[in-house]
Amino acid sequence: MNAVRPPLWRDRNFGTYWVAQSLSAAGDAFAYLAVPLLVLHATGSVAQMGLLTAVAGAASVGAGVFGGVLVDRYDRRTLMIAADLARLILYSLIPLAWLAGPQVWLLFVVLPICEAAGMVFQVAAVTAVRNLVDRDRITEANGRLQATYALAAVGGPLLAGVVSAQFGPTAAIAINAASFALSAAGLWLVRLRKADDGAATASTGRLAEFLAGARFLWRQPVLRSLTVLLSVFIFLTYGFTDVLVYHVKHDLGGSDRTVGTVLGLAALGTIAGALLVAPLRRRRGFGVTWVGALSTCGLAIVGIGLVGNVPAVTVLTAVYLCGVSVGGICSMSLRQEITPDHLLGRVTSAFWSTHYSLGPAGAAVLTWAAGRYGVTAVALVAGTGCLLVAISGLFTPIRRAGSEPAAHEPALAPAVSREAA
């Protein structure tokens, strides 16, 4: 019982997975900056940036309807490799097509398909953690993964800003495409454990299988409250990156390199959040940690709207990303801990499909409003909304969730329906 286990980084299987996903995250950081810059260079419109984000987000939500079913029915590692290879090919088309001049229409074709593949990948990646480490190390594993992703995100935008300024945003997208090849190669070496809950996915219709995950999600008091509140939160923040890029370039007079520096340094906040989340949850409990994280996000967004210089925006964006990191890892770990393995993909899919459903509309509204009324007004409204979401959590079962909900909170015991069981 008291035997000292080796640290996670000594686990070869987890370590391989960790490295592969870190390389992929570094490439994603290039696209995170390069795609908005590509649209802004070609059109000069923040509304066009928001429209692309909305269309891609809608495709991601649509993929979530069947993504969880695929993850629970087929081999998770194989699905992740296939998604990586698909994105490798599709992202490679962008720099090739741009050789003949700006092809904005291609982004509206490639990005939605890549986002759909990315949704399937992310559902599989989240469920794979359950098959890589012991249950009591899930939060630790998620924290380490997210911290490393964030570390890659620090250097990614910084380097992407330099590459974009020197060679154009298409070069940064080409690097992102190459990262998917590295991720697929790493995943080929990983071996996942088999499900440990003794249940299997029934061969029913895909809609029925998706609804089994949705029913589980809805019958869990805390998960239900999290889903509703986070859906509002994503509406308010889904277009934040586009607004931030526009704010730094249009309002503050920054260059591509400045935008990359802001996003890169701000990603240090994500690292801080990933390192803090496990001790915070142990000491303060799930509810206090989650509500505090979203409150931090709201205050930071309000601050971004009030300050008028790049250094202050960078610091406040880092604070915002720290809050997003803590709240997101808490929510994800909770789902992984209390959901049976045979339902985990569908529950994750149902959560993300619901959670992100308002995101595309939010991105379109947020960026349109930023272009019409200014970033300050949009930030004040969005930040205040995030604070209200956090306060609302105090009046839901989220408030009573403890530091170890799976083991000590009776209200969180898996409420498996007859169909799911």
Side-chain angles (χ1 to χ4, degrees):
M1 294 290 293
N2 296 322
V4 178
R5 290 182 293 179
L8 278 177
W9 64 268
R10 295 282 297 275
D11 184 319
R12 187 194 66 80
N13 211 38
F14 178 77
T16 303
Y17 181 84
W18 194 357
V19 170
Q21 295 318 295
S22 298
L23 291 171
S24 179
D28 282 338
F30 276 73
Y32 177 66
L33 174 64
V35 171
L37 286 178
L38 204 59
V39 177
L40 196 59
H41 283 185
T43 68
S45 170
V46 65
Q48 282 276 24
M49 294 163 62
L51 180 60
L52 179 60
T53 300
V55 172
S60 180
V61 172
V65 174
F66 61 82
V69 177
L70 295 176
V71 167
D72 284 340
R73 182 178 286 188
Y74 301 109
D75 181 72
R76 292 165 182 174
R77 184 181 67 117
T78 301
L79 287 173
M80 294 168 71
I81 292 174
D84 271 341
L85 294 178
R87 289 181 290 177
L88 163 64
I89 295 171
L90 289 168
Y91 273 116
S92 296
L93 294 177
I94 295 175
L96 291 175
W98 236 260
L99 292 175
Q103 308 289 333
V104 176
W105 65 269
L106 182 62
L107 297 178
F108 283 87
V109 176
V110 168
L111 262 294
I113 299 174
C114 285
E115 285 297 308
M119 170 61 82
V120 175
F121 182 95
Q122 288 300 321
V123 173
V126 168
T127 59
V129 174
R130 173 77 170 265
N131 304 121
L132 282 168
V133 300
D134 295 333
R135 180 169 175 162
D136 62 344
R137 304 190 82 171
I138 288 176
T139 299
E140 179 187 0
N142 284 330
R144 290 182 180 276
L145 285 166
Q146 295 300 322
T148 310
Y149 298 164
L151 184 61
V154 171
L158 288 170
L159 187 54
V162 174
V163 171
S164 294
Q166 191 72 28
F167 305 105
T170 54
I173 291 178
I175 293 175
N176 179 48
S179 74
F180 291 118
L182 296 175
S183 175
L187 288 169
W188 185 260
L189 302 175
V190 172
R191 294 295 179 268
L192 301 180
R193 304 173 186 175
K194 292 185 178 181
D196 58 2
D197 56 20
T201 303
S203 296
T204 57
R206 291 190 176 181
L207 178 59
E209 292 182 41
F210 173 80
L211 291 177
R215 282 195 296 270
F216 180 91
L217 192 68
W218 187 253
R219 293 176 183 180
Q220 289 285 348
V222 172
L223 295 185
R224 179 173 65 244
S225 300
L226 283 171
T227 303
V228 172
L229 293 180
L230 285 174
S231 296
V232 178
F233 179 80
I234 205 70
F235 176 85
L236 296 167
T237 61
Y238 196 69
F240 178 74
T241 299
D242 292 336
V243 172
L244 184 65
V245 170
Y246 176 76
H247 184 46
V248 173
K249 284 189 66 70
H250 181 269
D251 299 334
L252 303 181
S255 64
D256 287 359
R257 186 172 300 186
T258 303
V259 175
T261 301
V262 170
L263 294 179
L265 293 179
L268 291 170
T270 306
I271 298 175
L275 296 176
L276 288 171
V277 61
L280 278 175
R281 186 178 170 188
R282 282 195 301 267
R283 295 174 186 175
R284 300 299 181 185
F286 176 87
V288 171
T289 302
W290 187 86
V291 170
L294 262 68
S295 299
T296 299
C297 292
L299 291 172
I301 293 174
V302 169
I304 290 170
L306 296 177
V307 301
N309 59 82
V310 171
V313 167
T314 303
V315 171
L316 287 169
T317 303
V319 173
Y320 164 76
L321 291 177
C322 180
V324 170
S325 179
V326 171
I329 293 173
C330 274
S331 173
M332 178 169 57
S333 298
L334 180 67
R335 291 196 311 276
Q336 291 168 329
E337 290 164 0
I338 68 176
T339 304
D341 188 84
H342 73 284
L343 272 175
L344 187 54
R346 283 169 285 170
V347 170
T348 301
S349 178
F351 170 78
W352 281 354
S353 295
T354 306
H355 171 43
Y356 284 111
S357 61
L358 297 179
V365 171
L366 205 70
T367 52
W368 171 81
R372 184 174 179 85
Y373 300 108
V375 172
T376 297
V378 168
L380 290 175
V381 172
T384 302
C386 292
L387 283 171
L388 292 175
V389 169
I391 293 171
S392 299
L394 297 174
F395 301 94
T396 71
I398 294 172
R399 179 186 176 186
R400 298 189 298 272
S403 60
E404 297 296 339
H408 301 298
E409 294 290 330
L412 290 180
V416 185
S417 66
R418 292 180 181 177
E419 294 84 350

